[in-house]
Amino acid sequence: MRLILFVLFISSSLLGAQNNYPQDYFSSPLEVPLILSGTFAELRSNHFHSGLDIKTQQRVGLKVKAIANGYVSRIKISHFGYGKALYITHPNGYTSVYGHLQKFSPEIEAYIKKHQYEKESYQIELFPSSATLPITKDSLIAYSGNSGGSGGPHLHFEIRDKAERPMNPMLFGINVEDNIAPIIKSIYAYPIDANSFVNKSNTKQKLNLIPIENGNYVIKNMEAYGHIGFGVETNDRQDLAANSNGVYNIQTLVNGNKNFEIDFKRFSFDETKHINQLIDYEIYTTKKQRIQKLFKKNNPLSLLKPVLNNGFLNIEDSTYSVYKIRVADYKNNESWVTINIKGTKNSITETIENKETTPYFIKTDQTVNLKKENIAVNFYKDTFYDDFYLDFEVKNDTLTLHKNTIAAKKSFNIAFDISKYNDEDKQKLYIARLIGYNKYPIYSNTKRKGNLLTTNTKILGTYTLATDNTKPTILPINFKNGQWLSKYRYLKIKIDDKDSGISNYRATVNGKWILMEYDYKTKTLTHDFNDGTL
């Protein structure tokens, strides 16, 4: 009887751990079936995806509804990011977020435009009081759109806890059909130090991944010695969409013992930048593959659950080990990889290229200031995750600052002294990063103080001084010179700049400021005459 009671206690505890979030409190934000183009904590460029991207049938204008009672606690409108976004705080302490909206419900729209005209700014952030815009469950709050950094019409939807940490909305009963197991695309093995190797090599190795009949995978005849780790490239799909999405959980086991876990349940925005330490940043920047490292090294991510030895393996000579990787989606569809490891202390035939020829050694716990000719670079303490030897060269106003293969955890500063240029040219200079085979210049946010141009960046690579001699352009879209617009609903124009981009804009009619919404993807400014300002 004591054994039966013990088993029942454990089982109920596990079930409780799965159901400690309200399951019937929140409703769906849309009236259409929920089909996803993006999942929670999906790997994105420089960040984890903080919500669900819900498809809107390839169109804008679907009704967006409040998922529960509450009040509008924040409204943010920006050219980039979430575009038009609405935040609702609920009585149970959670906050729901709705992004990339086309427009808001009439009451909310009127409230926002009043403040936009007062501030004479399209971009705005407001924090209404709890009594200003109360919301009831399932009431209309907005219409879905494609605003901000959206790559196509959809609704970005989040649920955040009291600490403003985004959580997986599926934990709250938001249901999406999914009966498809995750896909394992590749596996890498990593010798961690100079005395370790995989398949007679001291460099990271892509392993031969063999599919087997049950939908899982196996890697045979791997030899290793010393301190090693693994990495996996994986994604998931849902039943009704062909998108490659993120997974929910990754676990590893060594000889049956749990070794490491990545739990994509919740994270905070101040840690999302550490995604570049989770992935193999060199492979990502050179091959555009996101290999998730299944070990923890200098990474504070709360998603990582290092159970045993931070996920590393210590392989000894004349041993046999079985390493397993389990990848699962939220609906518990799972895929397994089994790696059979033979411990063999053979001579290493391939070693890491010796980089110690460069005199510039970057230590993470020190500030490093480099200067040559008219260019200076300042790396602050803890700019990078690991110590490394840096390539640093200056020639003809061009800075070569290593390759973009090493992740930075915070920005560093690059400064160009432009005192040798005449005053007219100084006004047109900016700092650009050179990319691609043809070294195409991309504007890097540049500030000027006297004869110094500076930029803050997290990206290593090649930087140079560039000149912007081209004025911005303004072109009419729905009217021509001399045409009356009295019966028009909208005024539309296109603005563009070839080199450094649009910094700001301002539109007036008869000297009076008018609101123009800017869509940077189409480079379009739009005024709605229904604003009634004329």
Side-chain angles (χ1 to χ4, degrees), residues 18 250 284 311 346 444 492 495 500 506 533:
Q18 292 293 320
I250 304 175
Y284 172 65
N346 288 336
S444 184
K492 294 186 177 184
I495 59 175
S500 56
R506 179 181 173 85
T533 58

Side-chain angles (χ1 to χ4, degrees), residues 85-99:
L86 192 68
Y87 300 71
I88 298 177
T89 296
H90 304 285
N92 63 353
Y94 293 102
T95 297
S96 56
V97 183
Y98 314 78

Side-chain angles (χ1 to χ4, degrees), residues 37-64:
S37 59
T39 53
F40 180 80
E42 192 170 274
L43 309 185
R44 301 284 179 90
S45 295
N46 302 313
H47 70 284
F48 296 99
H49 188 231
S50 55
L52 303 179
D53 282 345
I54 305 174
K55 291 175 179 273
T56 55
Q57 302 175 338
Q58 300 180 333
R59 57 194 175 104
V60 301
L62 271 62
K63 292 180 179 180
V64 179

Side-chain angles (χ1 to χ4, degrees), residues 26 36 64 104 114 141 173 178 195 207 235 307 340 349 357 365 367 402 487 504 534:
F26 295 126
L36 304 183
V64 179
F104 303 92
K114 176 179 179 293
I141 55 173
D178 186 0
N195 298 315
L207 303 179
N235 56 45
V307 178
N340 298 298
T349 58
T357 55
D365 61 351
T367 296
H402 214 77
K487 296 182 180 180
N504 58 71
L534 303 179

